Amino acid sequence: MTRLALDPSGLLGEFYISFRIPTAVLTAALVIKLPSIIRLWRDPLLRAVGGLLLLACAVFVFCTPSTIAGVNRLTGVPNISAPWCYSLITAFCGSCLLLIITWRNGLSDRSAATRRATRWVITVYSGVIAALWTLFLLADAPEERLRDLDTYYATTPFMREEILLYLLAHCAACLITSRLVWNWVRAEGLDAWLRWGLKLLGAGYVLNLIFDAAKLTAVTARWCGRDLDWLSTDLAPPVAALSAIVIAAGFILPHAGQYLRDRWRIRLAHRELRPLYRLMRAASGDGVPFVLRATPELRLTRRETFIRDVLLPLARHLDTGLGRRSYDAALGLGHPPERARALAAAVSILDAVGAGARTPAPPGPATGPDTTGLLQEIGAVSRALRRPGDIEAVRARATAPAPATAPAKSVAAHE
């Protein structure tokens, strides 16, 4: 424990995060978004999301020591991976700003300020990338460094400026993006899943600022003749990996949360219709055929269609008088109007099912009372069928005989 306390690199080595983990998470986020990006390619917001995730994946693929060494060997130029990786990081920074500008302003905002901000970001960060390659061509960096290039060449002419330039560009983008995201989180009317996704994005960009602080501190220490290389080689990489994981989760959460919420609502609606579906199946003697590969949406649609198709022929057996009395009875029992309508409809349908079983339907088109409202409220009726006790209480009160009126008594005058 004492050795780890005196050796920060050894302590941080215990918390090492492989770059494969953020790469896998970012790839998963890109795969989730890819169908929407392809289908709605003209949407600038989706293009910005796709570009950002693709660049983030590229950063972690090309910034691993093994890939750095492979690119250097492939080109035959020592440390050619440095401007390449710096360019990817800078492009990622620019894409973050473009995403926030597009996302925050929305598709309908085509103001001059928005277009000017977009052009400014593209121009500035393209210029930074061009400057990075120019500085590398002017620098003398013959010795290959796979992990500590930032600190090893921190005092080398032109490489010094290149390292400082990419760090400042990255830091500025993270500061601006983080500020915009946290301001957006406080806005009113946001979906809960979007708000949590933005919080994760904000936390990810704060972690990026910690990465920049560690790198800049280590480089500045080199300028002052001190050795704090562990900040750059051992602290910054796991912070960057953790930041990528959090940012990817920020992109995944709104999409996944909305998807799961929609699936849950569909399954809940399907389950909610089960009592009415069973009643209609008993009335018709048939049901919805089972389809193995049917989606939840299709199963819900098929169940709703079956219920409505069976309700239509039952319309001729509906007793409108019983429905009115049942509604009044439900109100008299203290049920609110919406619940009273559902209970009255349930009583009428149960009565119609019994009447249909006793009296076969005559040939010809079905005629009867208007069932438009009933067909639109099958969910409420099905929920009412889950409480047979309430239905029986309403039926008993609706079918109870009216109290007899006492006959008037003639009064004879007695003298």
Side-chain angles (χ1 to χ4, degrees):
M1 182 65 70
T2 303
R3 180 182 65 82
L4 290 177
L6 296 175
D7 181 14
S9 63
L11 176 63
L12 292 170
E14 299 293 322
F15 301 98
Y16 172 75
I17 301 177
S18 172
F19 275 13
R20 293 181 179 179
I21 297 175
T23 303
V25 176
L26 288 165
T27 303
L30 181 60
V31 169
I32 289 174
K33 289 286 188 182
L34 193 59
S36 298
I37 294 171
I38 294 174
R39 188 174 64 254
L40 303 171
W41 177 248
R42 294 182 180 276
D43 187 338
L45 175 58
L46 289 175
R47 290 203 305 269
V49 171
L52 185 144
L53 293 175
L54 187 62
L55 284 170
C57 290
V59 167
F60 283 95
V61 168
F62 284 99
C63 289
T64 56
S66 58
T67 308
I68 290 173
V71 172
N72 291 340
R73 284 196 306 269
L74 182 64
T75 59
V77 180
N79 299 314
I80 190 69
S81 285
W84 173 242
C85 291
Y86 295 162
S87 297
L88 288 175
I89 294 172
T90 303
F92 170 76
C93 296
S95 67
C96 291
L97 290 174
L98 290 176
L99 172 64
I100 295 302
I101 291 171
T102 306
W103 197 355
R104 182 65 188 269
N105 294 336
L107 299 180
S108 60
D109 190 340
R110 299 299 184 192
S111 66
T114 300
R115 294 193 297 270
R116 187 165 57 250
T118 301
R119 287 195 300 268
W120 182 86
V121 170
I122 294 174
T123 301
V124 169
Y125 279 86
S126 297
V128 170
I129 292 173
L132 290 172
W133 284 96
T134 303
L135 289 169
F136 180 77
L137 293 175
L138 295 173
D140 183 19
E143 185 176 346
E144 182 182 60
R145 309 300 298 185
L146 301 181
R147 290 176 52 85
D148 61 347
L149 184 141
D150 290 348
T151 51
Y152 186 83
Y153 287 111
T155 57
T156 302
F158 298 111
M159 283 299 293
R160 173 183 56 216
E161 288 76 10
E162 177 174 13
I163 294 165
L164 183 62
L165 178 61
Y166 102 84
L167 286 175
L168 290 179
H170 184 265
C171 184
C174 291
L175 276 171
I176 297 172
T177 306
S178 178
R179 176 67 180 272
L180 291 174
V181 167
W182 285 112
N183 286 343
W184 194 3
V185 167
R186 291 190 289 269
E188 296 181 358
L190 291 182
D191 177 79
W193 292 106
L194 175 58
R195 190 181 299 277
W196 278 106
L198 288 172
K199 288 181 178 180
L200 287 175
L201 288 177
Y205 288 116
V206 170
L207 287 172
N208 265 324
L209 291 174
I210 297 175
F211 166 87
D212 292 325
K215 286 280 188 179
L216 286 169
T217 303
V219 169
T220 304
R222 278 284 184 152
W223 295 347
C224 299
R226 301 189 60 185
D227 184 356
L228 293 178
D229 291 5
W230 62 271
L231 288 171
S232 176
T233 57
D234 298 304
L235 176 62
V239 170
L242 183 59
S243 169
I245 294 172
V246 174
I247 288 175
F251 283 115
I252 293 174
L253 187 62
H255 185 278
Q258 185 177 4
Y259 174 83
L260 292 175
R261 181 179 59 190
D262 292 343
R263 296 285 81 75
W264 171 252
R265 287 177 176 175
I266 290 172
R267 292 185 183 277
L268 185 63
H270 186 268
R271 181 177 177 274
E272 205 172 54
L273 290 174
R274 185 183 300 170
L276 185 55
Y277 168 71
R278 287 178 173 175
L279 179 61
M280 296 298 97
R281 188 174 61 182
S284 67
D286 197 2
V288 177
F290 177 74
V291 179
L292 182 62
R293 291 193 171 187
T295 62
E297 294 89 347
L298 179 59
R299 286 199 294 269
L300 175 61
T301 301
R302 287 162 63 87
R303 177 165 286 189
E304 290 174 341
T305 303
F306 174 80
I307 290 172
R308 292 187 174 102
D309 287 346
V310 178
L311 277 175
L312 284 174
L314 282 175
R316 68 186 70 190
H317 298 294
L318 288 176
D319 186 344
T320 55
L322 176 62
R324 287 193 297 270
R325 293 194 303 274
S326 297
Y327 178 72
D328 294 336
L331 290 177
L333 291 171
H335 294 287
E338 291 185 5
R339 175 73 173 167
R341 280 196 298 271
L343 287 169
V347 171
S348 299
I349 291 173
L350 288 169
D351 179 76
V353 170
R358 294 188 301 270
T359 307
T367 58
D370 183 18
T371 58
T372 304
L374 176 61
L375 295 177
Q376 292 175 348
E377 297 177 358
I378 57 176
V381 175
S382 187
R383 288 192 298 271
L385 288 171
R386 291 183 178 272
R387 304 294 295 271
D390 292 346
I391 293 175
E392 289 303 319
V394 171
R395 183 201 295 272
R397 186 162 181 161
T399 57
T405 304
K409 296 181 178 180
S410 56
V411 179
H414 297 280
E415 302 245 344

